[in-house]
Amino acid sequence: MWAAEMTNNTGILVWMSNSRVRHAVSHTGPYGPYEPQDIAFGIWGHEPTVARAPTGEYVLFWTAHFGDRVPCSGIPCGDGDNGNSVMDPKKHCLNIHDCVYSTNLNSYMSYAKDPHGPWSEPVLVPKGGFGSGDTNLAPIIGRDGSLFGLGRPGWVWRATNWRDLSTYTVEQIDATVLGEDPFVYRDPYNVSVLHALSHAGHYDASGGHVWSIDGGNSWQNHNDTRAYSSLIK
């Protein structure tokens, strides 16, 4: 798997300054435990999603910024304490409401034949009319090489060829996920049905579930049911 990792022993509060993409491996199945491996892409990168292409490539989509300065603080936050971050401007530890350096948060794509890399040169994924913020883009790739992806509500990405950026289209529909940070998958019993999980946002610690039976053009949900709660057992 690939996940966003905060550097310098800091926590999620400083994700805008300290995030990078870490590769981890479980030798006992999907429930773990996972052992950290290589760094797929360093500071600054966030919100990674990996899809498998029918030709075997691991295709990584993530939010990235390349340059001398990191988003928000300009300089990565100083040392944290076991995943906790003391919000201190002197240590460049700023939350997203106190940023001193603003930049576009774009989505990029890279691919590799092996999960340990090497990764291809990152390419900028089209955003259409989405705007300057992070898209939360989470795609899946079909057996024919086509791509479908969800971003923040209610944005949808499609492509006839995942590798050819000229085939990408971006559109806004009435509603997709609940909240943000979607994860898309096909129903194992009916591959024509799409599902998506998401977290409801900073205002709600629960997770949402939506599904589509028309290829992602419209989505349905149970308003009184959550995919998961904020409780971890």
Side-chain angles (χ1 to χ4, degrees):
M1 75 171 197
W2 289 261
E5 176 187 62
M6 304 305 115
T7 61
N8 298 341
N9 204 19
T10 54
I12 192 64
L13 290 178
V14 294
W15 68 272
M16 281 281 284
S17 300
N18 285 51
S19 186
R20 63 185 179 184
V21 178
R22 166 76 79 172
H23 175 215
V25 170
S26 169
H27 299 286
T28 57
Y31 295 104
Y34 285 83
E35 300 175 1
Q37 303 290 308
D38 50 283
I39 302 297
F41 286 94
I43 297 177
W44 187 86
H46 198 64
E47 300 162 341
T49 296
V50 173
R52 196 75 187 272
T55 46
E57 294 94 341
Y58 296 84
V59 189
L60 171 65
F61 297 85
W62 80 112
T63 303
H65 175 71
F66 300 99
D68 296 333
R69 304 179 71 186
V70 300
C72 191
S73 64
I75 300 174
C77 176
D79 293 339
D81 179 18
N82 194 29
N84 294 312
S85 306
V86 178
M87 309 312 287
D88 181 359
K90 294 181 179 179
K91 299 177 77 173
H92 306 286
C93 294
L94 305 174
N95 65 40
I96 59 175
H97 304 293
D98 299 319
C99 293
V100 296
Y101 173 58
S102 297
T103 185
N104 289 341
L105 300 181
N106 292 315
S107 294
Y108 285 82
M109 181 264 284
S110 178
Y111 55 89
K113 283 287 188 181
D114 188 281
H116 295 274
W119 294 91
S120 66
E121 185 70 20
V123 292
L124 182 65
V125 177
K127 296 175 74 172
F130 179 85
S132 62
D134 54 323
T135 66
N136 291 178
L137 178 58
I140 56 175
I141 297 175
R143 293 178 180 178
D144 61 354
S146 63
L147 175 143
F148 174 85
L150 288 181
R152 290 183 182 273
W155 292 87
V156 172
W157 276 251
R158 300 179 193 271
T160 57
N161 181 347
W162 67 268
R163 197 192 294 256
D164 185 354
L165 295 178
S166 69
T167 70
Y168 280 57
T169 62
V170 185
E171 63 177 322
Q172 188 174 21
I173 61 178
D174 288 340
T176 53
V177 301
L178 305 173
E180 57 184 351
D181 294 330
F183 172 78
V184 186
Y185 62 99
R186 293 191 181 276
D187 192 298
Y189 301 103
N190 185 347
V191 295
S192 67
V193 178
L194 294 172
H195 294 266
L197 299 176
S198 65
H199 83 262
H202 64 277
Y203 48 84
D204 187 340
S206 63
H209 168 240
V210 295
W211 69 93
S212 173
I213 60 174
D214 60 3
N217 294 309
S218 62
W219 296 81
Q220 304 174 56
N221 69 83
H222 291 297
N223 289 327
D224 58 348
T225 303
R226 291 289 184 247
Y228 57 85
S229 72
S230 59
L231 301 179
I232 301 176
K233 296 182 180 180

